[in-house]
Amino acid sequence: MAEGRVEAIGGWLKEKDGSLDRSYRRLDDIPTTSFSADHIAYFEDYRQRYFNECLIPGQGVEEILQALKELGGTPRNWIDLGAGVTTLFWATGVNAPQAVAACDLVPEALHVLSLFKDGSELPQCYKDGLEITGKTEDDLSAIRSLKWDFHVMDCLKPWALPEGRSGFDLITAIGCFGLAADSHRYEEAFLAAAARLEPGGRLVGADWIRSAAFIEKEEHDNRYLGCELSERCAQRAGLAKLSCQTVGIASDPYYDALIVWAFSRDA
């Protein structure tokens, strides 16, 4: 592993010096020559390490995919927050979107996602995801062939996405809001997303609760997470509860459980 490179565990870049650029940009407007080779290597490592082989049952993935399929509607415009490199995997549960946008603070993560999306590789876990949701490889290929928008922005802050962009009838935040430092910042991120949800739209997400060992390793304690918090945020945002469940994770050194939730805005 190169000097300065960190092991790809959480799928996010932990920074202490505020070095990441938090200004809004479109990925297409950023020259690839400005990308960090270490950052690209980190996210490619994460993609291959965790989203490549067979799915491990009982880790909460089944519940997330079923929530997307059963509660996510059939979106015209889907936007995925804190996308990292995983949006195409979660697409195995999304019902025939007409437009896709992916957002992340780190442009290199979106760069890796964009290259993978434009390729033809179909790892085994994607095939497993399609089997869980009863979809086909052609269904996923149709989503993959769409022209995606990639937005570089801080998804834990009020949205920097230009207001001229259309609203969204599916917003996903899978592993995003739980990176907030505390419950107040979680609520800020949740309300910012809910504000861009179209009438009749769905907000679907999941928050992983970290183990004590992982908290010590990365100094990020998110044990404030829970259905009570998510439901309170939804109530403040004027959203109706579709589902919220806590899913235990057995024998994982990094996570104890995850919260899978879905809310809707009245049409």
Side-chain angles (χ1 to χ4, degrees):
M1 185 171 293
E3 183 179 355
R5 191 177 301 169
V6 295
E7 185 180 3
I9 297 175
W12 71 315
L13 292 178
K14 179 175 177 290
E15 61 165 349
K16 292 184 177 180
D17 59 1
S19 60
L20 294 178
D21 184 349
R22 283 176 156 74
S23 63
Y24 170 79
R25 291 159 291 160
R26 289 178 54 84
L27 183 67
D28 289 345
D29 295 334
I30 304 174
T32 57
T33 54
S34 69
F35 291 157
S36 161
D38 279 349
H39 289 179
I40 290 174
Y42 174 92
F43 287 104
E44 183 60 26
D45 178 23
Y46 181 78
R47 185 186 73 80
Q48 295 191 32
R49 186 189 298 254
Y50 294 107
F51 289 85
N52 191 36
E53 304 297 334
C54 296
L55 283 183
I56 301 174
Q59 302 294 297
V61 174
E62 300 94 334
E63 286 82 357
I64 297 171
L65 292 177
Q66 289 296 344
L68 290 169
K69 177 186 177 182
E70 297 172 8
L71 305 174
T74 304
R76 296 181 305 279
N77 294 312
W78 167 35
I79 189 166
D80 187 34
L81 306 178
V85 297
T86 62
T87 303
L88 188 64
F89 176 77
W90 302 121
T92 63
V94 176
N95 302 312
Q98 298 176 29
V100 181
C103 302
D104 201 277
L105 176 61
V106 184
E108 290 87 352
L110 295 177
H111 175 69
V112 171
L113 172 62
S114 177
L115 291 177
F116 175 65
K117 174 261 181 192
D118 287 340
S120 60
E121 180 185 357
L122 190 67
Q124 183 59 47
C125 65
Y126 287 71
K127 298 177 183 179
D128 294 342
L130 291 171
E131 183 175 356
I132 289 169
T133 59
K135 298 181 185 299
T136 68
E137 292 186 17
D138 286 343
D139 293 329
L140 187 61
S141 293
I143 299 176
R144 199 171 198 169
S145 65
L146 295 171
K147 183 185 183 302
W148 291 24
D149 288 325
F150 296 93
H151 304 285
V152 179
M153 71 176 194
D154 188 345
C155 299
L156 297 179
K157 297 290 186 181
W159 283 26
L161 194 67
E163 287 290 342
R165 302 283 172 185
S166 59
F168 302 94
D169 46 4
L170 176 62
I171 299 175
T172 52
I174 301 170
C176 178
F177 297 164
L179 297 177
D182 52 44
S183 61
H184 298 292
R185 290 177 174 85
Y186 179 101
E187 183 172 343
E188 181 180 36
F190 191 106
L191 294 178
R196 299 296 287 269
L197 197 62
E198 288 286 316
R202 312 295 177 90
L203 178 59
V204 181
D207 302 312
W208 276 261
I209 301 175
R210 296 184 166 210
S211 67
F214 198 22
I215 290 168
E216 182 177 1
K217 181 180 179 65
E218 289 209 341
E219 300 175 355
H220 175 60
D221 188 346
N222 67 0
R223 287 174 292 191
Y224 62 79
L225 294 169
C227 279
E228 181 180 355
L229 171 62
S230 301
E231 291 172 8
R232 184 173 72 243
C233 292
Q235 185 176 30
R236 282 204 60 191
L239 304 185
K241 175 183 171 181
L242 299 175
S243 176
C244 190
Q245 60 177 316
T246 302
V247 181
I249 300 176
S251 304
D252 189 292
Y254 301 120
Y255 300 102
D256 290 339
L258 72 157
I259 314 299
V260 183
W261 43 261
F263 303 98
S264 66
R265 183 173 299 286
D266 291 340

